[in-house]
CSV table of all heavy atoms in Angstrom, one decimal:
chain,number,residue,atom,x,y,z
A,1,MET,N,0.8,-1.2,0.0
A,1,MET,CA,0.0,0.0,0.0
A,1,MET,C,0.9,1.2,0.0
A,1,MET,O,1.8,1.4,0.8
A,1,MET,CB,-0.9,0.0,1.2
A,1,MET,CG,-1.8,1.1,1.3
A,1,MET,SD,-3.0,0.9,2.7
A,1,MET,CE,-3.9,2.4,2.6
A,2,LYS,N,0.6,2.2,-0.9
A,2,LYS,CA,1.4,3.4,-1.0
A,2,LYS,C,0.9,4.4,0.1
A,2,LYS,O,-0.3,4.5,0.4
A,2,LYS,CB,1.2,4.0,-2.3
A,2,LYS,CG,1.8,3.2,-3.5
A,2,LYS,CD,1.5,3.9,-4.8
A,2,LYS,CE,2.1,3.1,-5.9
A,2,LYS,NZ,1.9,3.8,-7.2
A,3,PRO,N,1.9,5.2,0.6
A,3,PRO,CA,1.5,6.3,1.6
A,3,PRO,C,0.8,7.4,0.8
A,3,PRO,O,1.1,7.6,-0.4
A,3,PRO,CB,2.8,6.7,2.2
A,3,PRO,CG,3.8,6.4,1.2
A,3,PRO,CD,3.3,5.1,0.5
A,4,ASN,N,0.0,8.2,1.4
A,4,ASN,CA,-0.6,9.4,0.8
A,4,ASN,C,0.2,10.6,1.3
A,4,ASN,O,0.8,10.6,2.3
A,4,ASN,CB,-2.0,9.5,1.1
A,4,ASN,CG,-2.8,8.4,0.5
A,4,ASN,OD1,-2.6,8.0,-0.7
A,4,ASN,ND2,-3.7,7.8,1.3
A,5,VAL,N,0.1,11.7,0.5
A,5,VAL,CA,0.8,12.9,0.8
A,5,VAL,C,-0.2,14.0,1.1
A,5,VAL,O,-1.1,14.2,0.3
A,5,VAL,CB,1.8,13.3,-0.3
A,5,VAL,CG1,2.5,14.6,0.0
A,5,VAL,CG2,2.8,12.2,-0.6
A,6,LEU,N,0.0,14.7,2.2
A,6,LEU,CA,-0.8,15.9,2.5
A,6,LEU,C,0.2,17.1,2.5
A,6,LEU,O,1.1,17.1,3.3
A,6,LEU,CB,-1.5,15.8,3.8
A,6,LEU,CG,-2.2,17.1,4.3
A,6,LEU,CD1,-3.3,17.5,3.4
A,6,LEU,CD2,-2.8,16.8,5.7
A,7,ILE,N,-0.1,18.1,1.7
A,7,ILE,CA,0.7,19.3,1.6
A,7,ILE,C,-0.2,20.4,2.2
A,7,ILE,O,-1.2,20.7,1.6
A,7,ILE,CB,1.2,19.6,0.2
A,7,ILE,CG1,2.0,18.5,-0.4
A,7,ILE,CG2,1.9,21.0,0.1
A,7,ILE,CD1,2.4,18.6,-1.8
A,8,VAL,N,0.3,21.0,3.3
A,8,VAL,CA,-0.5,22.1,3.9
A,8,VAL,C,0.0,23.4,3.5
A,8,VAL,O,1.2,23.7,3.7
A,8,VAL,CB,-0.5,21.9,5.4
A,8,VAL,CG1,-1.3,23.1,6.1
A,8,VAL,CG2,-1.0,20.6,5.9
A,9,GLY,N,-0.8,24.2,2.8
A,9,GLY,CA,-0.4,25.5,2.3
A,9,GLY,C,-0.3,25.4,0.8
A,9,GLY,O,-0.1,24.3,0.2
A,10,ALA,N,-0.3,26.6,0.1
A,10,ALA,CA,-0.2,26.6,-1.3
A,10,ALA,C,0.7,27.7,-1.8
A,10,ALA,O,0.4,28.4,-2.8
A,10,ALA,CB,-1.6,26.7,-1.9
A,11,GLY,N,1.8,27.9,-1.1
A,11,GLY,CA,2.8,28.9,-1.5
A,11,GLY,C,3.8,28.3,-2.3
A,11,GLY,O,3.7,27.2,-2.9
A,12,ALA,N,5.0,29.0,-2.4
A,12,ALA,CA,6.1,28.6,-3.3
A,12,ALA,C,6.7,27.2,-2.9
A,12,ALA,O,7.0,26.4,-3.8
A,12,ALA,CB,7.2,29.6,-3.3
A,13,VAL,N,6.8,27.0,-1.6
A,13,VAL,CA,7.4,25.7,-1.1
A,13,VAL,C,6.4,24.6,-1.5
A,13,VAL,O,6.8,23.5,-1.9
A,13,VAL,CB,7.7,25.8,0.4
A,13,VAL,CG1,8.1,24.4,0.9
A,13,VAL,CG2,8.8,26.8,0.6
A,14,ALA,N,5.1,24.8,-1.3
A,14,ALA,CA,4.1,23.8,-1.6
A,14,ALA,C,4.1,23.5,-3.1
A,14,ALA,O,3.9,22.3,-3.5
A,14,ALA,CB,2.7,24.2,-1.1
A,15,HIS,N,4.3,24.5,-3.9
A,15,HIS,CA,4.4,24.3,-5.3
A,15,HIS,C,5.5,23.3,-5.7
A,15,HIS,O,5.3,22.4,-6.5
A,15,HIS,CB,4.6,25.7,-6.0
A,15,HIS,CG,4.5,25.7,-7.5
A,15,HIS,ND1,3.3,25.9,-8.1
A,15,HIS,CD2,5.4,25.4,-8.4
A,15,HIS,CE1,3.5,25.8,-9.4
A,15,HIS,NE2,4.8,25.5,-9.6
A,16,VAL,N,6.7,23.5,-5.2
A,16,VAL,CA,7.8,22.7,-5.4
A,16,VAL,C,7.6,21.3,-4.9
A,16,VAL,O,7.8,20.3,-5.5
A,16,VAL,CB,9.1,23.3,-4.9
A,16,VAL,CG1,10.3,22.3,-5.0
A,16,VAL,CG2,9.5,24.6,-5.5
A,17,ALA,N,7.0,21.2,-3.7
A,17,ALA,CA,6.8,19.9,-3.0
A,17,ALA,C,5.7,19.1,-3.8
A,17,ALA,O,5.9,17.9,-4.0
A,17,ALA,CB,6.2,20.1,-1.6
A,18,ALA,N,4.7,19.7,-4.4
A,18,ALA,CA,3.7,19.0,-5.2
A,18,ALA,C,4.3,18.5,-6.5
A,18,ALA,O,4.0,17.3,-6.8
A,18,ALA,CB,2.6,20.0,-5.5
A,19,HIS,N,5.2,19.3,-7.1
A,19,HIS,CA,5.8,18.8,-8.3
A,19,HIS,C,6.8,17.6,-8.0
A,19,HIS,O,6.8,16.6,-8.7
A,19,HIS,CB,6.6,19.9,-9.0
A,19,HIS,CG,5.8,20.8,-9.8
A,19,HIS,ND1,5.5,20.6,-11.1
A,19,HIS,CD2,5.1,21.9,-9.5
A,19,HIS,CE1,4.7,21.5,-11.6
A,19,HIS,NE2,4.4,22.4,-10.6
A,20,LYS,N,7.5,17.7,-6.9
A,20,LYS,CA,8.4,16.6,-6.5
A,20,LYS,C,7.6,15.3,-6.2
A,20,LYS,O,8.0,14.2,-6.5
A,20,LYS,CB,9.3,17.0,-5.4
A,20,LYS,CG,10.5,17.9,-5.8
A,20,LYS,CD,11.3,17.1,-6.8
A,20,LYS,CE,12.6,17.9,-7.1
A,20,LYS,NZ,13.4,17.2,-8.2
A,21,ALA,N,6.5,15.5,-5.4
A,21,ALA,CA,5.7,14.4,-5.0
A,21,ALA,C,5.1,13.7,-6.3
A,21,ALA,O,5.1,12.5,-6.4
A,21,ALA,CB,4.6,14.8,-4.1
A,22,ALA,N,4.7,14.5,-7.3
A,22,ALA,CA,4.1,13.9,-8.5
A,22,ALA,C,5.2,13.2,-9.3
A,22,ALA,O,4.9,12.2,-9.9
A,22,ALA,CB,3.5,15.1,-9.3
A,23,GLN,N,6.4,13.7,-9.3
A,23,GLN,CA,7.5,13.1,-10.0
A,23,GLN,C,7.9,11.7,-9.4
A,23,GLN,O,8.5,10.9,-10.0
A,23,GLN,CB,8.7,14.0,-10.0
A,23,GLN,CG,8.6,15.2,-10.9
A,23,GLN,CD,9.7,16.2,-10.7
A,23,GLN,OE1,10.6,16.0,-9.9
A,23,GLN,NE2,9.7,17.2,-11.5
A,24,ASN,N,7.5,11.5,-8.1
A,24,ASN,CA,7.7,10.3,-7.4
A,24,ASN,C,6.5,9.5,-7.1
A,24,ASN,O,6.4,8.7,-6.1
A,24,ASN,CB,8.6,10.6,-6.2
A,24,ASN,CG,9.9,11.1,-6.5
A,24,ASN,OD1,10.8,10.3,-7.0
A,24,ASN,ND2,10.1,12.4,-6.3
A,25,ASN,N,5.4,9.7,-7.9
A,25,ASN,CA,4.2,9.1,-7.5
A,25,ASN,C,4.2,7.6,-7.8
A,25,ASN,O,3.2,6.9,-7.4
A,25,ASN,CB,3.0,9.7,-8.2
A,25,ASN,CG,2.9,9.3,-9.7
A,25,ASN,OD1,3.9,9.3,-10.4
A,25,ASN,ND2,1.7,8.9,-10.1
A,26,ASP,N,5.2,7.0,-8.3
A,26,ASP,CA,5.3,5.6,-8.4
A,26,ASP,C,5.6,5.0,-7.0
A,26,ASP,O,5.3,3.8,-6.8
A,26,ASP,CB,6.4,5.2,-9.4
A,26,ASP,CG,7.8,5.8,-9.1
A,26,ASP,OD1,7.8,6.9,-8.5
A,26,ASP,OD2,8.8,5.3,-9.6
A,27,ILE,N,6.1,5.8,-6.1
A,27,ILE,CA,6.3,5.4,-4.7
A,27,ILE,C,5.2,5.9,-3.8
A,27,ILE,O,4.8,5.3,-2.9
A,27,ILE,CB,7.7,5.9,-4.2
A,27,ILE,CG1,8.8,5.3,-5.1
A,27,ILE,CG2,7.9,5.6,-2.8
A,27,ILE,CD1,10.2,6.0,-4.9
A,28,LEU,N,4.8,7.2,-4.1
A,28,LEU,CA,3.8,7.8,-3.2
A,28,LEU,C,2.4,7.6,-3.8
A,28,LEU,O,2.2,7.2,-4.9
A,28,LEU,CB,4.0,9.3,-3.2
A,28,LEU,CG,5.4,9.7,-2.7
A,28,LEU,CD1,5.6,11.2,-2.9
A,28,LEU,CD2,5.6,9.3,-1.3
A,29,GLY,N,1.4,7.7,-2.9
A,29,GLY,CA,0.0,7.6,-3.3
A,29,GLY,C,-0.7,8.9,-3.7
A,29,GLY,O,-0.1,9.7,-4.4
A,30,ASN,N,-1.9,9.1,-3.2
A,30,ASN,CA,-2.6,10.3,-3.6
A,30,ASN,C,-1.9,11.5,-3.0
A,30,ASN,O,-1.3,11.4,-1.9
A,30,ASN,CB,-4.0,10.2,-3.0
A,30,ASN,CG,-4.8,9.1,-3.7
A,30,ASN,OD1,-4.6,8.9,-4.9
A,30,ASN,ND2,-5.7,8.5,-3.0
A,31,ILE,N,-2.1,12.7,-3.6
A,31,ILE,CA,-1.5,13.9,-3.2
A,31,ILE,C,-2.7,14.9,-2.9
A,31,ILE,O,-3.4,15.2,-3.8
A,31,ILE,CB,-0.5,14.5,-4.2
A,31,ILE,CG1,0.6,13.5,-4.5
A,31,ILE,CG2,0.0,15.8,-3.7
A,31,ILE,CD1,1.4,13.8,-5.8
A,32,CYS,N,-2.8,15.4,-1.7
A,32,CYS,CA,-3.8,16.4,-1.4
A,32,CYS,C,-3.1,17.7,-1.0
A,32,CYS,O,-2.2,17.7,-0.1
A,32,CYS,CB,-4.6,15.9,-0.2
A,32,CYS,SG,-5.9,17.1,0.3
A,33,ILE,N,-3.5,18.8,-1.6
A,33,ILE,CA,-3.0,20.1,-1.2
A,33,ILE,C,-4.1,20.9,-0.5
A,33,ILE,O,-5.2,21.1,-1.0
A,33,ILE,CB,-2.6,20.9,-2.5
A,33,ILE,CG1,-1.5,20.1,-3.2
A,33,ILE,CG2,-2.0,22.3,-2.1
A,33,ILE,CD1,-1.2,20.7,-4.6
A,34,ALA,N,-3.9,21.2,0.8
A,34,ALA,CA,-4.9,21.9,1.6
A,34,ALA,C,-4.4,23.3,1.8
A,34,ALA,O,-3.3,23.6,2.2
A,34,ALA,CB,-5.0,21.2,2.9
A,35,SER,N,-5.3,24.3,1.6
A,35,SER,CA,-5.0,25.7,1.7
A,35,SER,C,-6.3,26.4,2.2
A,35,SER,O,-7.4,25.9,2.1
A,35,SER,CB,-4.5,26.2,0.4
A,35,SER,OG,-4.3,27.6,0.4
A,36,ARG,N,-6.0,27.7,2.6
A,36,ARG,CA,-7.2,28.5,3.1
A,36,ARG,C,-8.2,28.7,1.9
A,36,ARG,O,-9.4,28.8,2.1
A,36,ARG,CB,-6.7,29.8,3.6
A,36,ARG,CG,-6.2,29.7,5.0
A,36,ARG,CD,-5.9,31.0,5.6
A,36,ARG,NE,-4.6,31.5,4.9
A,36,ARG,CZ,-4.3,32.8,4.8
A,36,ARG,NH1,-5.0,33.7,5.3
A,36,ARG,NH2,-3.2,33.1,4.1
A,37,THR,N,-7.6,28.8,0.7
A,37,THR,CA,-8.5,29.0,-0.5
A,37,THR,C,-8.2,27.8,-1.4
A,37,THR,O,-7.0,27.5,-1.8
A,37,THR,CB,-8.3,30.3,-1.2
A,37,THR,OG1,-6.9,30.4,-1.6
A,37,THR,CG2,-8.6,31.5,-0.3
A,38,LYS,N,-9.3,27.2,-1.9
A,38,LYS,CA,-9.1,26.0,-2.8
A,38,LYS,C,-8.5,26.5,-4.1
A,38,LYS,O,-7.8,25.7,-4.8
A,38,LYS,CB,-10.4,25.4,-3.0
A,38,LYS,CG,-10.3,24.1,-3.8
A,38,LYS,CD,-11.6,23.3,-3.8
A,38,LYS,CE,-11.5,22.0,-4.6
A,38,LYS,NZ,-12.7,21.3,-4.7
A,39,GLU,N,-8.7,27.7,-4.5
A,39,GLU,CA,-8.2,28.2,-5.8
A,39,GLU,C,-6.7,28.2,-5.9
A,39,GLU,O,-6.1,27.9,-6.9
A,39,GLU,CB,-8.7,29.7,-6.0
A,39,GLU,CG,-10.2,29.8,-6.3
A,39,GLU,CD,-11.0,29.7,-5.0
A,39,GLU,OE1,-10.5,30.0,-3.9
A,39,GLU,OE2,-12.2,29.4,-5.1
A,40,LYS,N,-6.0,28.5,-4.7
A,40,LYS,CA,-4.6,28.4,-4.7
A,40,LYS,C,-4.1,27.0,-4.9
A,40,LYS,O,-3.1,26.8,-5.7
A,40,LYS,CB,-4.0,29.0,-3.4
A,40,LYS,CG,-4.1,30.5,-3.3
A,40,LYS,CD,-3.5,30.9,-1.9
A,40,LYS,CE,-2.9,32.3,-1.9
A,40,LYS,NZ,-2.3,32.6,-0.7
A,41,ALA,N,-4.8,26.1,-4.3
A,41,ALA,CA,-4.4,24.7,-4.4
A,41,ALA,C,-4.6,24.2,-5.9
A,41,ALA,O,-3.8,23.5,-6.5
A,41,ALA,CB,-5.2,23.8,-3.5
A,42,GLU,N,-5.7,24.7,-6.5
A,42,GLU,CA,-6.1,24.3,-7.8
A,42,GLU,C,-5.0,24.8,-8.8
A,42,GLU,O,-4.7,24.2,-9.8
A,42,GLU,CB,-7.5,24.8,-8.2
A,42,GLU,CG,-8.6,24.0,-7.5
A,42,GLU,CD,-8.6,22.5,-7.8
A,42,GLU,OE1,-8.3,22.2,-8.9
A,42,GLU,OE2,-9.0,21.8,-6.9
A,43,LYS,N,-4.5,26.0,-8.6
A,43,LYS,CA,-3.4,26.5,-9.5
A,43,LYS,C,-2.2,25.6,-9.5
A,43,LYS,O,-1.6,25.4,-10.5
A,43,LYS,CB,-3.0,27.9,-9.0
A,43,LYS,CG,-4.0,29.0,-9.4
A,43,LYS,CD,-3.6,30.4,-9.1
A,43,LYS,CE,-4.6,31.4,-9.4
A,43,LYS,NZ,-4.2,32.8,-9.1
A,44,ILE,N,-1.8,25.1,-8.3
A,44,ILE,CA,-0.7,24.2,-8.2
A,44,ILE,C,-1.0,22.9,-9.0
A,44,ILE,O,-0.2,22.4,-9.7
A,44,ILE,CB,-0.3,23.9,-6.8
A,44,ILE,CG1,0.2,25.2,-6.1
A,44,ILE,CG2,0.8,22.8,-6.7
A,44,ILE,CD1,0.5,25.1,-4.6
A,45,ILE,N,-2.2,22.4,-8.8
A,45,ILE,CA,-2.6,21.2,-9.4
A,45,ILE,C,-2.6,21.3,-10.9
A,45,ILE,O,-2.1,20.4,-11.7
A,45,ILE,CB,-4.0,20.7,-8.9
A,45,ILE,CG1,-3.9,20.3,-7.5
A,45,ILE,CG2,-4.6,19.6,-9.8
A,45,ILE,CD1,-5.3,20.1,-6.8
A,46,GLN,N,-3.1,22.4,-11.4
A,46,GLN,CA,-3.0,22.7,-12.9
A,46,GLN,C,-1.6,22.7,-13.4
A,46,GLN,O,-1.3,22.2,-14.5
A,46,GLN,CB,-3.7,24.0,-13.2
A,46,GLN,CG,-5.2,24.0,-13.0
A,46,GLN,CD,-5.9,25.3,-13.2
A,46,GLN,OE1,-5.2,26.3,-13.5
A,46,GLN,NE2,-7.2,25.4,-13.0
A,47,SER,N,-0.7,23.3,-12.6
A,47,SER,CA,0.7,23.4,-13.0
A,47,SER,C,1.3,22.0,-13.1
A,47,SER,O,2.0,21.7,-14.0
A,47,SER,CB,1.5,24.3,-12.0
A,47,SER,OG,2.9,24.2,-12.3
A,48,VAL,N,1.0,21.2,-12.1
A,48,VAL,CA,1.6,19.8,-12.1
A,48,VAL,C,1.1,19.0,-13.3
A,48,VAL,O,1.8,18.3,-14.0
A,48,VAL,CB,1.2,19.1,-10.8
A,48,VAL,CG1,1.6,17.6,-10.9
A,48,VAL,CG2,1.9,19.7,-9.6
A,49,ARG,N,-0.2,19.1,-13.6
A,49,ARG,CA,-0.8,18.4,-14.7
A,49,ARG,C,-0.3,19.0,-16.0
A,49,ARG,O,0.0,18.2,-17.0
A,49,ARG,CB,-2.3,18.5,-14.6
A,49,ARG,CG,-2.8,17.6,-13.5
A,49,ARG,CD,-4.3,17.3,-13.6
A,49,ARG,NE,-4.7,16.3,-12.6
A,49,ARG,CZ,-5.6,16.4,-11.8
A,49,ARG,NH1,-6.4,17.5,-11.8
A,49,ARG,NH2,-5.9,15.4,-10.9
A,50,HIS,N,-0.1,20.3,-16.1
A,50,HIS,CA,0.4,20.9,-17.4
A,50,HIS,C,1.8,20.4,-17.7
A,50,HIS,O,2.1,20.2,-18.9
A,50,HIS,CB,0.3,22.4,-17.2
A,50,HIS,CG,0.8,23.1,-18.4
A,50,HIS,ND1,0.2,23.2,-19.6
A,50,HIS,CD2,2.0,23.8,-18.6
A,50,HIS,CE1,0.9,23.9,-20.5
A,50,HIS,NE2,2.0,24.3,-19.9
A,51,LYS,N,2.6,20.2,-16.7
A,51,LYS,CA,4.0,19.8,-16.9
A,51,LYS,C,4.2,18.3,-17.0
A,51,LYS,O,5.3,17.8,-17.2
A,51,LYS,CB,4.9,20.4,-15.8
A,51,LYS,CG,5.0,21.9,-15.9
A,51,LYS,CD,5.9,22.5,-14.9
A,51,LYS,CE,6.0,24.0,-15.0
A,51,LYS,NZ,6.9,24.6,-14.0
A,52,HIS,N,3.1,17.6,-16.9
A,52,HIS,CA,3.1,16.1,-17.0
A,52,HIS,C,4.2,15.5,-16.1
A,52,HIS,O,5.0,14.7,-16.5
A,52,HIS,CB,3.3,15.7,-18.4
A,52,HIS,CG,2.3,16.3,-19.4
A,52,HIS,ND1,1.0,15.9,-19.4
A,52,HIS,CD2,2.4,17.2,-20.3
A,52,HIS,CE1,0.3,16.5,-20.3
A,52,HIS,NE2,1.2,17.4,-20.9
A,53,ASN,N,4.2,15.9,-14.8
A,53,ASN,CA,5.2,15.5,-13.9
A,53,ASN,C,5.0,14.1,-13.3
A,53,ASN,O,5.7,13.7,-12.4
A,53,ASN,CB,5.4,16.5,-12.8
A,53,ASN,CG,6.4,17.6,-13.2
A,53,ASN,OD1,7.2,17.3,-14.0
A,53,ASN,ND2,6.3,18.7,-12.5
A,54,PHE,N,3.9,13.4,-13.7
A,54,PHE,CA,3.6,12.1,-13.0
A,54,PHE,C,4.5,11.0,-13.7
A,54,PHE,O,4.7,11.0,-14.9
A,54,PHE,CB,2.2,11.7,-13.2
A,54,PHE,CG,1.3,12.6,-12.3
A,54,PHE,CD1,0.6,13.6,-12.8
A,54,PHE,CD2,1.1,12.2,-11.0
A,54,PHE,CE1,-0.2,14.4,-12.0
A,54,PHE,CE2,0.3,13.0,-10.2
A,54,PHE,CZ,-0.4,14.1,-10.7
A,55,GLN,N,5.0,10.1,-12.8
A,55,GLN,CA,5.7,9.0,-13.3
A,55,GLN,C,4.7,7.8,-13.3
A,55,GLN,O,4.0,7.5,-12.4
A,55,GLN,CB,6.8,8.6,-12.3
A,55,GLN,CG,7.9,9.6,-12.1
A,55,GLN,CD,8.7,9.8,-13.4
A,55,GLN,OE1,9.0,8.9,-14.1
A,55,GLN,NE2,8.9,11.1,-13.8
A,56,GLY,N,4.6,7.2,-14.4
A,56,GLY,CA,3.7,6.1,-14.5
A,56,GLY,C,2.3,6.6,-14.5
A,56,GLY,O,2.0,7.6,-15.0
A,57,LYS,N,1.4,5.8,-13.9
A,57,LYS,CA,0.0,6.2,-13.8
A,57,LYS,C,-0.2,7.4,-12.9
A,57,LYS,O,0.3,7.4,-11.8
A,57,LYS,CB,-0.8,5.0,-13.3
A,57,LYS,CG,-2.3,5.2,-13.3
A,57,LYS,CD,-3.1,4.0,-12.9
A,57,LYS,CE,-4.5,4.2,-12.8
A,57,LYS,NZ,-5.3,3.1,-12.3
A,58,GLU,N,-1.1,8.3,-13.3
A,58,GLU,CA,-1.4,9.5,-12.5
A,58,GLU,C,-2.1,9.1,-11.2
A,58,GLU,O,-3.2,8.5,-11.3
A,58,GLU,CB,-2.2,10.5,-13.3
A,58,GLU,CG,-2.4,11.8,-12.6
A,58,GLU,CD,-3.2,12.8,-13.4
A,58,GLU,OE1,-2.9,12.8,-14.7
A,58,GLU,OE2,-3.9,13.6,-12.9
A,59,ALA,N,-1.6,9.5,-10.1
A,59,ALA,CA,-2.3,9.3,-8.8
A,59,ALA,C,-3.3,10.3,-8.6
A,59,ALA,O,-3.5,11.3,-9.4
A,59,ALA,CB,-1.2,9.4,-7.7
A,60,GLY,N,-4.1,10.2,-7.6
A,60,GLY,CA,-5.1,11.2,-7.2
A,60,GLY,C,-4.4,12.4,-6.8
A,60,GLY,O,-3.5,12.4,-5.9
A,61,LEU,N,-4.8,13.5,-7.4
A,61,LEU,CA,-4.2,14.8,-7.0
A,61,LEU,C,-5.4,15.8,-6.9
A,61,LEU,O,-6.1,16.0,-7.8
A,61,LEU,CB,-3.3,15.3,-8.1
A,61,LEU,CG,-2.7,16.7,-8.0
A,61,LEU,CD1,-1.8,16.8,-6.7
A,61,LEU,CD2,-1.8,17.1,-9.2
A,62,TYR,N,-5.6,16.3,-5.7
A,62,TYR,CA,-6.8,17.1,-5.4
A,62,TYR,C,-6.5,18.2,-4.4
A,62,TYR,O,-5.5,18.1,-3.6
A,62,TYR,CB,-8.0,16.3,-5.0
A,62,TYR,CG,-7.7,15.3,-3.9
A,62,TYR,CD1,-8.0,15.6,-2.6
A,62,TYR,CD2,-7.2,14.0,-4.1
A,62,TYR,CE1,-7.7,14.7,-1.5
A,62,TYR,CE2,-6.9,13.1,-3.1
A,62,TYR,CZ,-7.2,13.5,-1.8
A,62,TYR,OH,-7.0,12.6,-0.8
A,63,GLY,N,-7.3,19.2,-4.4
A,63,GLY,CA,-7.2,20.3,-3.4
A,63,GLY,C,-8.3,20.4,-2.5
A,63,GLY,O,-9.5,20.0,-2.8
A,64,ARG,N,-8.1,20.9,-1.3
A,64,ARG,CA,-9.1,21.0,-0.3
A,64,ARG,C,-9.0,22.4,0.4
A,64,ARG,O,-7.8,22.9,0.6
A,64,ARG,CB,-9.1,19.9,0.8
A,64,ARG,CG,-9.3,18.5,0.3
A,64,ARG,CD,-10.8,18.4,-0.1
A,64,ARG,NE,-11.1,17.0,-0.4
A,64,ARG,CZ,-11.3,16.6,-1.7
A,64,ARG,NH1,-11.1,17.4,-2.7
A,64,ARG,NH2,-11.6,15.4,-1.9
A,65,GLU,N,-10.1,23.0,0.8
A,65,GLU,CA,-10.0,24.2,1.6
A,65,GLU,C,-9.9,23.8,3.0
A,65,GLU,O,-10.7,23.0,3.5
A,65,GLU,CB,-11.3,25.0,1.3
A,65,GLU,CG,-11.3,26.4,2.0
A,65,GLU,CD,-12.5,27.2,1.5
A,65,GLU,OE1,-12.9,27.1,0.4
A,65,GLU,OE2,-13.0,27.9,2.4
A,66,LEU,N,-9.0,24.5,3.7
A,66,LEU,CA,-8.7,24.2,5.1
A,66,LEU,C,-8.2,25.4,5.8
A,66,LEU,O,-7.2,26.0,5.4
A,66,LEU,CB,-7.7,23.0,5.3
A,66,LEU,CG,-7.2,22.7,6.7
A,66,LEU,CD1,-8.3,22.0,7.4
A,66,LEU,CD2,-6.0,21.9,6.6
A,67,ASP,N,-8.9,25.8,6.9
A,67,ASP,CA,-8.5,27.0,7.7
A,67,ASP,C,-7.9,26.4,9.0
A,67,ASP,O,-8.6,25.9,9.8
A,67,ASP,CB,-9.7,27.9,8.0
A,67,ASP,CG,-9.3,29.1,8.7
A,67,ASP,OD1,-8.1,29.3,9.1
A,67,ASP,OD2,-10.1,30.0,9.0
A,68,ALA,N,-6.6,26.4,9.1
A,68,ALA,CA,-5.9,25.9,10.2
A,68,ALA,C,-6.2,26.6,11.5
A,68,ALA,O,-6.1,26.1,12.6
A,68,ALA,CB,-4.4,25.9,10.0
A,69,LEU,N,-6.7,27.8,11.4
A,69,LEU,CA,-7.1,28.6,12.6
A,69,LEU,C,-8.5,28.2,13.1
A,69,LEU,O,-8.9,28.6,14.3
A,69,LEU,CB,-7.1,30.1,12.4
A,69,LEU,CG,-5.7,30.6,12.0
A,69,LEU,CD1,-5.8,32.1,11.7
A,69,LEU,CD2,-4.7,30.4,13.2
A,70,ASP,N,-9.3,27.5,12.3
A,70,ASP,CA,-10.6,27.0,12.7
A,70,ASP,C,-10.4,25.7,13.5
A,70,ASP,O,-10.5,24.6,12.9
A,70,ASP,CB,-11.5,26.8,11.5
A,70,ASP,CG,-12.9,26.4,11.9
A,70,ASP,OD1,-13.3,26.4,13.1
A,70,ASP,OD2,-13.7,26.2,11.0
A,71,ILE,N,-10.2,25.8,14.8
A,71,ILE,CA,-9.9,24.6,15.6
A,71,ILE,C,-11.1,23.6,15.7
A,71,ILE,O,-10.9,22.4,15.7
A,71,ILE,CB,-9.5,25.0,17.0
A,71,ILE,CG1,-8.2,25.8,16.9
A,71,ILE,CG2,-9.2,23.8,17.9
A,71,ILE,CD1,-7.7,26.5,18.1
A,72,ALA,N,-12.3,24.2,15.7
A,72,ALA,CA,-13.5,23.3,15.8
A,72,ALA,C,-13.6,22.4,14.6
A,72,ALA,O,-13.9,21.3,14.7
A,72,ALA,CB,-14.7,24.1,16.0
């Protein structure tokens, strides 16, 4: 079973991390990018798909809206 990857935030470091995770998706499982705004995560996802960075079969790559300050 492959591990899944959760990337918290959608800034410059998350952008690089998402591309690297996609380049190694033959080892890694699904990739989720969580950010305060889903639009930022979706921009990274579009970039990864545009550059065809997946090795082998494309894993699940999706974005979620998450506010880390919302403790409840």
Side-chain angles (χ1 to χ4, degrees):
M1 182 174 177
K2 294 181 182 180
N4 293 316
V5 178
L6 172 63
I7 300 172
V8 179
V13 173
H15 187 93
V16 172
H19 280 271
K20 283 299 188 184
Q23 290 170 355
N24 293 289
N25 79 309
D26 53 338
I27 299 168
L28 303 173
N30 295 325
I31 303 165
C32 177
I33 303 171
S35 179
R36 282 183 290 157
T37 60
K38 190 173 179 182
E39 292 78 24
K40 284 181 157 183
E42 291 297 330
K43 284 184 182 180
I44 295 173
I45 291 168
Q46 289 173 2
S47 174
V48 170
R49 289 198 170 126
H50 177 73
K51 292 183 180 180
H52 305 290
N53 272 337
F54 288 99
Q55 297 296 317
K57 185 178 178 185
E58 183 175 329
L61 177 61
Y62 52 94
R64 295 289 186 260
E65 186 172 323
L66 174 71
D67 184 357
L69 296 177
D70 185 6
I71 297 170

